[in-house]
Amino acid sequence: MKLPIQAAYRLKWYDSGKVAELTNSPSLGSEGSVSYSLTGNGSWLRAKDDERYDVIAAFGTNTSIYTVVFASANVDETLGVLWGQVLERNRTLTSLNLESNTLQTESITAIANALKGTPALKELRLANQHKKFAQAVEASLAEAMEANHRIIKLAVDLKSTQAKDRIARVLDRNQQEAREAKKNGGEVPFGPPTSTDAIPTKGGGGEGGAAAGPDLDHGAVLAKARGPVKKRARKKRPSLTATEAE
């Protein structure tokens, strides 16, 4: 049974070590039932670069989470390029929100290249980046979208009128194809992974680290990021004298 989006599981980054055990749970329902949001997560914002990298790398082989929100989550060029690598491998994720970060030319290009392989994505949000990317990338993104028949929603700030028009025509085409596929009881197919190599983590030890997987222990990563929990000392209330009690 498909869960409504309001009742979706909302896993924070340090909870996703539970994803492996949730994958086959009948209570999860079908597509869209598991979401993962880091917007406003203080622990993520305090995490080290390597820890953030490893968390995103784990999505390369993740088969449990369909919706990911990394809006305003300090996603820079390095992490943006990494998301491109994830999209080359992941064939489960249907919605990705990377709005209000600092993606630039290299990361937008990496994501565009991944879109050519038609991952499972239906919605991609890249708007409101705090840094600019080259206008030539807009043409590359439009070209990638023309090869993609799955995405029906794309949010991105473009200057080129030509790129805007090309992408608008693609979205119209994809939406029509999606409606026709739904009438026939199916959906627009996605392509096979364009890369099957595991993305190496940075915190796994050894050269290049260990291969990331869906059962990455994010709880351990969080504990390392925030350090030991300090217990707040309780103040003792002063006892009343007999005179004060009266």
Side-chain angles (χ1 to χ4, degrees):
M1 177 179 178
K2 184 175 180 179
L3 296 175
I5 192 64
Q6 294 85 354
Y9 282 81
R10 299 198 175 278
L11 305 176
K12 294 186 178 181
W13 77 289
Y14 51 85
D15 292 329
S16 59
K18 300 178 181 178
V19 165
E21 64 187 66
L22 290 176
T23 303
N24 299 316
S25 172
S27 64
L28 286 181
S30 58
E31 180 183 306
S33 60
V34 183
S35 63
Y36 183 104
S37 177
L38 287 177
T39 300
N41 187 293
S43 298
W44 168 262
L45 297 178
R46 291 190 297 271
K48 297 178 181 178
D49 291 342
D50 286 359
E51 294 165 343
R52 292 177 185 165
Y53 187 98
D54 289 352
V55 168
I56 294 175
F59 283 98
T61 52
N62 188 284
T63 59
S64 303
I65 297 174
Y66 293 91
T67 300
V68 170
V69 181
F70 273 63
S72 300
N74 286 0
V75 179
D76 56 14
E77 274 287 78
T78 299
L79 298 182
V81 170
L82 179 59
W83 269 115
Q85 297 176 28
V86 166
L87 293 177
E88 290 177 345
R89 295 159 173 80
N90 186 295
R91 288 300 181 266
T92 301
L93 191 63
T94 58
S95 178
L96 176 62
N97 186 337
L98 298 177
E99 291 183 328
S100 302
N101 286 295
T102 55
L103 303 183
Q104 295 177 268
T105 299
E106 187 178 359
S107 53
I108 297 293
T109 300
I111 292 172
N113 289 337
L115 296 184
K116 293 179 181 179
T118 311
L121 274 185
K122 296 179 181 179
E123 179 179 9
L124 177 62
R125 295 187 169 276
L126 302 172
N128 194 33
Q129 299 304 317
H130 301 314
K131 292 190 177 181
K132 298 179 181 180
F133 49 86
Q135 196 163 341
V137 177
E138 299 183 8
S140 298
L141 183 59
E143 179 183 352
M145 283 293 295
E146 288 171 344
N148 186 297
H149 288 254
R150 286 272 299 183
I151 293 182
I152 57 177
K153 294 181 181 179
L154 174 65
V156 61
D157 299 321
L158 302 176
K159 295 181 179 179
S160 169
T161 302
Q162 185 179 18
K164 290 179 182 178
D165 291 343
R166 290 172 67 184
I167 290 177
R169 287 194 295 269
V170 168
L171 292 176
D172 286 341
R173 178 202 69 190
N174 290 0
Q175 290 166 4
Q176 178 62 29
E177 291 180 358
R179 285 192 291 267
E180 292 176 357
K182 188 175 181 179
K183 286 180 182 179
N184 296 325
E187 63 176 11
V188 176
F190 49 83
T194 54
S195 178
T196 56
D197 297 334
I199 303 175
T201 65
K202 291 189 174 183
E207 185 175 354
D215 56 349
L216 178 69
D217 187 357
H218 292 190
V221 177
L222 172 71
K224 182 179 178 182
R226 68 184 180 186
V229 178
K230 295 181 179 179
K231 292 184 178 180
R232 183 180 296 178
R234 296 181 63 182
K235 294 183 178 179
K236 292 184 178 181
R237 296 179 61 183
S239 56
L240 299 177
T241 63
T243 305
E244 290 173 331
E246 294 176 358

